[in-house]
Amino acid sequence: MSSWKDPQHSLRYGEHSDAAGGVHAHRFDTNLSNQVIGATGLNAHPRLASIMPNLIKHLHDFMRESKITSAELMAAFDLLAWAGKMTDDKRHEVLLVGDVFGLEPLADDITYTLAADGSTIPTVLGPFWRANAPIRNMGDSIVFGIECGGHTYMHGHIVDAQTREPIENAELDIWETAPNGKYEQQDPDQVDMNLRGRFRTGADGSYNLYCLRPTTYAIPQDGPAGKLLQLLDRHPMRPAHIHCIVTAAGYKRLTTELFDRQDEHVHNDAVFAVKEDLIVDFLPRTGDPKAQFDLEYTFKLARLNPQS
Amino acid sequence: MSSWKDPQHSLRYGEHSDAAGGVHAHRFDTNLSNQVIGATGLNAHPRLASIMPNLIKHLHDFMRESKITSAELMAAFDLLAWAGKMTDDKRHEVLLVGDVFGLEPLADDITYTLAADGSTIPTVLGPFWRANAPIRNMGDSIVFGIECGGHTYMHGHIVDAQTREPIENAELDIWETAPNGKYEQQDPDQVDMNLRGRFRTGADGSYNLYCLRPTTYAIPQDGPAGKLLQLLDRHPMRPAHIHCIVTAAGYKRLTTELFDRQDEHVHNDAVFAVKEDLIVDFLPRTGDPKAQFDLEYTFKLARLNPQS
């Protein structure tokens, strides 16, 4: 057993600072919180040990203040178990449940604010990224077997956030849904790895490819995330977006999405992932038989070890 | 979108009441919390809608205050997905992860305090209860194929918490580990449903059966709950206990455990489930070739609809 103390939290359990600034006693067993916090040993993982007092404080205070009963806790555990069972390498349902509560965009904001490195702002990964998408040649299309929809020429540069110099051999990994709102792994009518691709920059740091102007879609309704949205009387729609992960040796990985300004849900995203800097315009493109729209976007990557 | 407001929480996001009673601004995006809370629709499940503002406040405040990064959040999601995958009808690993944080005993305390009905105090179900244990005759043993260990004659009454009158046709469902610390579903050397049984009272509300004096054991180390204990440098031991669920028509279900006062972990339980009223004495038993110990315990059940 440990004598580990958290210097950040001078309130003892059994006391509670209320909205008016007063201190009153908790109604329910508070010694339990001290027992759980005090159980952390001296050789614990330092980061986990450092967050435990605050995690226990908030979890337990939530339960006490909202009077969570055993039956309600069990319902929550069962919902999480259901999410875990649905999670595989094609869909992370636990993450999607977290997104219903806005956890992923909040962590993104914390990470980005702490870094303060001038990179493109990140947003949620979402549950449908797949590792090892095909590496395609610059100028290729990621669209296979789809005639409808707004074909788009997407192009721009990947640059150093500090120097704005182009980054050679950076990788842009992009993925999006078909016009029916389905990612390829959700849709037996699409070929494997459709609407996914990885592109690597040359010396000038530029990229260009053909994709689709994205489509608004509902997040999956067949699991616990959908069940929660239904119980909360919330809509499941995500504004149209293209997912991007941008990586380069010596730079931090950037996970983000680009959102279509014209989408009706662009300021009403079921998972709260839209940031103003990620809203883009799909402009009309003329003289290109392969695309009706043009999208230009520059990705800024931050160095892992900034130059002073 | 909803105009749903929580009257209980007068703090706006962006403000935070600190330990000294002061109010300061949060460093990280607080508008997100308002977006998530505001998304709850007017036709939401009433109880879920009522707890959402406080749940979001505590989850988000924890993340902001402890500066939880995207990578750390993802590690938590992956751990929960692992727990979900291990959960089945023989083991609830998500519940066990919650027990590492003391959630189940806290919910039990809240439920019991709110009820204030004089019943025997409940404690955690644990992950190893199985539905449909065999119904046995009063006086039977639940021990099969085990010669060692402290065989125990367990007996007592099941009574109405208010009137103390015996309850006829009440059911006592009990389960425990073998002396090797394993429940039958964890141990291929035990017969199916060993050390489990359901017993139904007659008109006098009494019960009697043979079981084992229980054994201290480690909670499973092969999943995320064990991983968390290891990361927290905590021991995995539970004090020796017998699990009980007591039910009767017209009465609330009681889920509890009886703990051996002599166990070295009786005040140092890995999952914080011990309550003073559940600590029992195994007394020496003489003149009974089938048992070396005697355990007497009276279970008090509360009516679903108390008589006034």
Side-chain angles (χ1 to χ4, degrees):
Chain A
M1 306 302 284
S2 158
S3 61
W4 201 86
K5 299 285 179 227
D6 175 29
Q8 293 186 291
H9 292 93
S10 57
L11 271 188
R12 280 184 55 79
Y13 276 95
E15 296 174 350
H16 175 66
S17 177
D18 67 17
V23 171
H24 60 79
H26 267 298
R27 182 171 173 196
F28 304 105
D29 183 11
T30 52
N31 185 48
L32 178 70
S33 304
N34 289 323
Q35 280 185 59
V36 177
I37 293 168
T40 300
L42 291 170
N43 295 310
H45 181 279
R47 174 64 172 154
L48 190 58
S50 79
I51 67 176
M52 271 292 281
N54 200 33
L55 176 62
I56 296 303
K57 170 180 154 50
H58 281 295
L59 284 177
H60 287 199
D61 281 358
F62 160 67
M63 288 179 61
R64 290 190 189 100
E65 290 160 12
S66 289
K67 302 184 181 66
I68 302 300
T69 65
S70 304
E72 290 169 342
L73 183 69
M74 207 65 191
F77 286 158
D78 286 343
L79 185 130
L80 286 172
W82 180 18
K85 284 187 191 314
M86 287 190 82
T87 296
D88 59 24
D89 63 351
K90 294 183 176 177
R91 172 172 172 181
H92 202 317
E93 184 74 15
V94 175
L95 183 155
L96 199 59
V97 167
D99 283 354
V100 170
F101 299 109
L103 303 190
E104 211 185 348
L106 180 56
D108 289 342
D109 180 65
I110 292 167
T111 308
Y112 186 70
T113 304
L114 289 176
D117 56 19
S119 77
T120 297
I121 194 166
T123 193
V124 306
L125 172 66
F128 293 115
W129 177 71
R130 290 181 66 187
N132 303 316
I135 296 174
R136 306 192 192 277
N137 292 318
M138 214 52 93
D140 278 357
S141 176
I142 63 170
V143 189
F144 297 89
I146 294 170
E147 299 305 319
C148 58
H151 287 247
T152 298
Y153 179 67
M154 179 176 169
H155 59 105
H157 289 80
I158 298 172
V159 304
D160 183 300
Q162 195 173 6
T163 66
R164 302 296 164 112
E165 293 293 320
I167 303 175
E168 184 173 1
N169 206 28
E171 182 178 285
L172 170 63
D173 184 351
I174 83 169
W175 68 105
E176 61 179 345
T177 72
N180 65 3
K182 300 282 188 193
Y183 293 92
E184 48 87 16
Q185 71 264 55
Q186 298 177 286
D187 183 358
D189 292 337
Q190 292 182 55
V191 297
D192 190 50
M193 293 288 181
N194 192 27
L195 296 164
R196 295 175 187 273
R198 291 185 291 160
F199 296 85
R200 289 184 180 157
T201 59
D204 69 350
S206 73
Y207 72 89
N208 65 93
L209 58 97
Y210 288 92
C211 60
L212 291 176
R213 184 170 177 171
T215 304
T216 190
Y217 66 84
I219 64 170
Q221 305 289 287
D222 58 340
K227 179 72 180 177
L228 279 171
L229 288 180
Q230 179 197 328
L231 287 171
L232 289 165
D233 187 25
R234 277 168 47 176
H235 76 79
M237 301 309 292
R238 295 220 59 207
H241 59 276
I242 300 174
H243 288 275
C244 314
I245 293 176
V246 191
T247 50
Y251 290 87
K252 295 181 195 171
R253 164 187 289 243
L254 169 67
T255 301
T256 195
E257 302 178 18
L258 301 178
F259 296 92
D260 186 340
R261 192 183 307 279
Q262 302 300 319
D263 191 282
E264 64 172 314
H265 292 99
V266 75
H267 290 111
N268 186 7
D269 179 357
V271 302
F272 315 102
V274 180
K275 319 271 184 190
E276 284 300 322
D277 289 352
L278 301 174
I279 299 175
V280 297
D281 294 291
F282 290 80
L283 301 175
R285 181 168 174 87
T286 55
D288 184 346
K290 296 199 284 183
Q292 301 93 60
F293 296 103
D294 183 286
L295 171 62
E296 181 172 10
Y297 198 82
T298 294
F299 295 97
K300 294 173 284 180
L301 296 192
R303 282 193 179 274
L304 283 169
N305 300 302
Q307 298 160 315
S308 57
Chain B
M1 304 299 285
S2 158
S3 60
W4 201 88
K5 299 287 180 225
D6 176 26
Q8 292 187 292
H9 293 94
S10 57
L11 273 188
R12 280 185 55 79
Y13 277 93
E15 297 174 348
H16 175 65
S17 177
D18 65 17
V23 171
H24 60 80
H26 267 298
R27 181 171 172 193
F28 304 105
D29 183 10
T30 52
N31 185 48
L32 177 71
S33 304
N34 289 323
Q35 279 185 60
V36 177
I37 293 168
T40 301
L42 291 170
N43 296 310
H45 182 279
R47 173 64 173 154
L48 190 57
S50 79
I51 67 174
M52 271 293 281
N54 200 33
L55 175 62
I56 296 303
K57 170 180 153 51
H58 281 296
L59 283 177
H60 287 200
D61 282 357
F62 160 67
M63 288 179 61
R64 291 190 187 98
E65 291 160 10
S66 291
K67 301 183 180 68
I68 301 300
T69 66
S70 302
E72 290 170 342
L73 183 68
M74 207 65 191
F77 286 159
D78 286 343
L79 185 130
L80 286 172
W82 180 18
K85 284 188 191 311
M86 286 190 81
T87 296
D88 59 24
D89 63 351
K90 292 184 177 177
R91 172 172 171 180
H92 202 317
E93 184 74 15
V94 175
L95 183 155
L96 200 57
V97 166
D99 283 354
V100 170
F101 299 109
L103 304 190
E104 209 185 351
L106 180 55
D108 288 341
D109 181 64
I110 292 167
T111 308
Y112 186 70
T113 304
L114 289 175
D117 56 19
S119 78
T120 296
I121 194 166
T123 193
V124 306
L125 174 66
F128 293 115
W129 177 70
R130 292 181 66 187
N132 303 316
I135 295 174
R136 305 191 193 278
N137 292 318
M138 215 53 93
D140 278 356
S141 176
I142 64 170
V143 189
F144 296 90
I146 293 170
E147 299 306 319
C148 56
H151 287 248
T152 298
Y153 179 67
M154 179 177 169
H155 59 105
H157 289 80
I158 299 172
V159 304
D160 183 299
Q162 194 173 6
T163 66
R164 303 297 164 110
E165 293 292 320
I167 303 174
E168 184 174 3
N169 207 28
E171 182 179 286
L172 169 63
D173 184 351
I174 84 168
W175 69 105
E176 61 179 343
T177 72
N180 64 3
K182 301 282 189 194
Y183 291 94
E184 48 87 17
Q185 71 262 58
Q186 299 176 286
D187 184 357
D189 292 336
Q190 291 182 56
V191 297
D192 190 49
M193 294 287 182
N194 192 27
L195 296 164
R196 294 176 188 274
R198 291 186 291 160
F199 295 85
R200 291 185 178 155
T201 58
D204 69 350
S206 73
Y207 72 89
N208 65 92
L209 58 95
Y210 288 92
C211 60
L212 290 176
R213 184 170 179 170
T215 304
T216 190
Y217 66 84
I219 64 170
Q221 305 288 289
D222 58 339
K227 178 74 180 174
L228 279 171
L229 288 181
Q230 179 198 330
L231 287 171
L232 290 164
D233 186 25
R234 276 167 49 175
H235 75 78
M237 302 308 293
R238 296 219 59 208
H241 58 277
I242 299 173
H243 288 275
C244 314
I245 293 177
V246 191
T247 49
Y251 290 88
K252 296 182 194 170
R253 164 187 290 243
L254 169 67
T255 301
T256 196
E257 302 178 16
L258 301 178
F259 297 92
D260 186 341
R261 192 184 308 279
Q262 302 301 319
D263 191 283
E264 64 172 314
H265 292 100
V266 75
H267 290 111
N268 186 7
D269 179 357
V271 302
F272 314 102
V274 179
K275 319 271 184 189
E276 285 299 322
D277 288 353
L278 301 174
I279 299 175
V280 296
D281 294 290
F282 290 79
L283 302 176
R285 181 168 174 86
T286 53
D288 184 345
K290 295 198 284 182
Q292 301 92 60
F293 296 104
D294 184 286
L295 171 62
E296 181 171 10
Y297 198 82
T298 295
F299 295 97
K300 294 173 284 178
L301 295 191
R303 281 194 179 274
L304 283 168
N305 300 300
Q307 297 161 313
S308 55

